[in-house]
Amino acid sequence: MIEKSHTYRKQLFDLALPAMAENILQILMGITDSYLVAQLGLLAISGVSVANNIITVYQAIFIALGSAVSSLVAKYFGQHDHKKELQLQADSLVLTLLVSLVLGILSIFCGRFFLSALGTTKEVTQLGGLYLALVGGGIFSLGLLTSLGAIHRAQGRPRLPMYVSVLTNVLNAVLSALSITVFDFGLVGIALSTVFSRLVGVLILASMLDFWSILKHVRLSISKNLVTMALPIAGERLMMRVGDVAIVAIIVSFGVKVVAGNAIGETITQFNYMPGMGMATAVLILVAQAFGERDYEAIHTILKKAYGYSVVMMFLVGGSVYFLSSYLLPFFTNDPTAQEASRVVMLSSFLGGPATAGTLIFTALWQGLGKPKFPFYATTIGMWGIRIFLGYFLGVLLGLGLAGVWLATIADNLFRWAILSWRYHVYKKR
């Protein structure tokens, strides 16, 4: 029993740590990209910032597809059904390219319309539209990078996508810097550097698979299982994105300084969630494998251990961030109002850690079991029925301000954690 427990712990951390490293790297490289774009002026910063809001939606779609791919590949991997596994890989790449084609066309031909609809000025729309046309037009590179990475993780090679992520991000930073400082390519150089770097990563990940066997399984139709898995996961992520926009609209009513402080706090507390997100990636894959093997006891053990590890690590990171706030915040702002707002975010993130971990782990559990609709329903109800409604009630009507909005956020995570775990216990008895 002790040996099995050690095995589960090793499997969880072997999958979670590379995923955490990838997420942290993405954040750091995002900061680097922002610095490089800043060298081109405020208009460029504004244009790229707004364009990236749209690209973030694209990324959410591909991450959802990657989660579906990980779950199904891991399931067939656990069943030792190599034929179904190859067919699923082929279908996932075809679906990725089809989605990329639609998003790419929209980016090239409708990008400026999207940006102007968001209220940007003519100059910002022009620069942002150019960036969106180039990066969004080549969005298939991000899609394939995500799907191929998901396949490798599900097959027990979680470090490979991490190493490729390191390479692509460093390559992107170097090429972007050269584009500005040496070749004077400006915004076009930064955009093309992003697409090219991702393509290098795609080629590496593809070369590490039995790619010719996958190509032989390419067909016009797409696996129904893949589509029915991907749609609810995408819906759940998009529901969060749209809900976040509504939350920001509430926070805007508290004033510019509070908005800035909330943004700073959210930027810093991104690191709080990395352990839970990494463990959630591991849970999805390991639960899918165990489900494919019909090992239900393993599923329960994996769930308990992953939640426990997530809470401890998130508590340590969140506590460190909050108690070091006096040293961290001056790097971003010296305004007392903005700093106070940032501390509210940090404290809320720290205190809400157990509920956030529960939501992340149990969402991954249901996706690993091949039942992603339930997390979608829970997120929809939690976001719109609790977080937004209660946030407005507490923050605006009762005058609690930003603290009210974050209390509602904790309440939302508590609700989703409770409903997802209760449903699992009912499911387990069956």
Side-chain angles (χ1 to χ4, degrees):
M1 190 67 178
I2 295 175
E3 186 178 342
K4 260 193 171 182
S5 178
H6 173 74
T7 300
Y8 291 137
R9 181 170 66 249
K10 184 178 186 303
Q11 288 176 330
L12 281 167
F13 279 101
D14 282 349
L15 287 165
L17 291 178
M20 289 165 57
E22 278 189 72
N23 288 329
I24 292 171
L25 183 66
Q26 290 288 348
I27 294 172
L28 295 176
M29 281 299 152
I31 295 171
T32 302
D33 278 351
S34 297
Y35 171 78
L36 291 172
V37 173
Q39 310 310 305
L40 301 176
L42 292 177
L43 288 175
I45 295 173
S46 299
V48 171
S49 176
V50 178
N52 274 332
N53 283 332
I54 296 173
I55 292 172
T56 299
V57 176
Y58 298 172
Q59 187 175 27
I61 294 172
F62 289 127
I63 290 174
L65 179 57
S67 296
V69 171
S70 289
S71 177
L72 292 172
V73 169
K75 177 183 175 182
Y76 297 141
F77 188 75
Q79 294 174 343
H80 306 289
D81 194 333
H82 188 56
K83 185 177 179 181
K84 280 187 177 180
E85 191 181 341
L86 283 173
Q87 186 61 67
L88 191 280
Q89 292 175 37
D91 288 351
S92 68
L93 297 182
V94 171
L95 183 57
T96 299
L97 289 173
L98 289 175
V99 172
S100 300
L101 179 62
V102 174
L103 296 179
I105 291 173
L106 287 174
S107 299
I108 294 170
F109 296 103
C110 305
R112 293 191 180 186
F113 170 77
F114 292 153
L115 296 181
S116 60
L118 292 173
T120 57
T121 63
K122 183 179 179 181
E123 293 82 1
V124 171
T125 298
Q126 185 175 1
L127 288 172
L130 174 62
Y131 184 84
L132 184 57
L134 292 171
V135 177
I139 203 67
F140 67 93
S141 58
L142 175 61
L144 290 174
L145 194 65
T146 305
S147 293
L148 289 169
I151 292 170
H152 280 289
R153 289 189 198 92
Q155 292 182 333
R157 295 183 294 275
R159 293 186 181 183
L160 180 59
M162 179 188 70
Y163 295 145
V164 170
S165 181
V166 171
L167 174 63
T168 55
N169 281 285
V170 171
L171 182 61
N172 180 31
V174 171
L175 293 177
S176 295
L178 291 174
S179 296
I180 295 173
T181 59
V182 178
F183 300 109
D184 197 26
F185 289 157
L187 199 61
V188 172
I190 292 176
L192 292 179
S193 296
T194 299
V195 175
F196 177 77
S197 300
R198 288 171 178 166
L199 282 175
V200 171
V202 168
L203 291 175
I204 294 172
L205 290 177
S207 68
M208 297 294 182
L209 291 170
D210 187 2
F211 204 69
W212 292 113
S213 295
I214 295 173
L215 289 179
K216 290 177 183 177
H217 285 77
V218 170
R219 59 185 181 181
L220 294 178
S221 60
I222 304 296
S223 167
K224 184 180 177 181
N225 286 341
L226 179 59
V227 175
T228 54
M229 274 287 291
L231 286 178
I233 298 175
E236 192 255 346
R237 291 184 179 275
L238 291 175
M239 196 60 65
M240 287 294 296
R241 288 289 176 191
V242 174
D244 286 341
V245 173
I247 290 294
V248 170
I250 295 173
I251 295 173
V252 165
S253 67
F254 304 144
V256 174
K257 292 182 179 180
V258 174
V259 173
N262 182 75
I264 292 168
E266 288 192 322
T267 298
I268 296 172
T269 56
Q270 287 182 88
F271 296 99
N272 297 13
Y273 310 117
M274 293 300 108
M277 293 171 66
M279 278 292 163
T281 299
V283 166
L284 188 151
I285 293 171
L286 293 177
V287 166
Q289 287 179 355
F291 185 65
E293 296 169 353
R294 295 294 185 264
D295 189 347
Y296 300 109
E297 185 60 35
I299 292 173
H300 187 59
T301 304
I302 289 165
L303 179 67
K304 288 195 300 183
K305 287 187 172 295
Y307 177 72
Y309 297 145
S310 297
V311 170
V312 171
M313 289 189 291
M314 289 175 68
F315 179 81
L316 291 174
V317 177
S320 299
V321 166
Y322 177 69
F323 291 111
L324 291 174
S325 61
S326 298
Y327 302 97
L328 295 173
L329 290 175
F331 286 101
F332 296 88
T333 180
N334 289 314
D335 184 88
T337 302
Q339 285 194 354
E340 185 59 33
S342 296
R343 287 192 181 92
V344 169
V345 177
M346 292 177 177
L347 180 60
S348 300
S349 176
F350 173 51
L351 296 178
T356 304
T359 299
L360 290 169
I361 297 302
F362 276 92
T363 295
L365 165 75
W366 284 105
Q367 291 171 354
L369 291 173
K371 301 180 184 298
K373 288 184 180 180
F374 195 62
F376 168 67
Y377 297 145
T379 296
T380 302
I381 296 170
M383 174 59 79
W384 294 94
I386 297 178
R387 187 179 299 201
I388 295 173
F389 172 78
L390 189 60
Y392 181 78
F393 178 76
L394 294 175
V396 178
L397 297 183
L398 291 188
L400 295 180
L402 187 62
V405 171
W406 278 93
L407 283 172
T409 299
I410 295 174
D412 168 30
N413 282 321
L414 281 170
F415 163 78
R416 283 191 279 155
W417 175 28
I419 196 73
L420 291 171
S421 60
W422 167 77
R423 183 63 181 169
Y424 170 66
H425 289 299
V426 173
Y427 174 82
K428 189 173 63 170
K429 288 178 181 178
R430 293 177 183 175

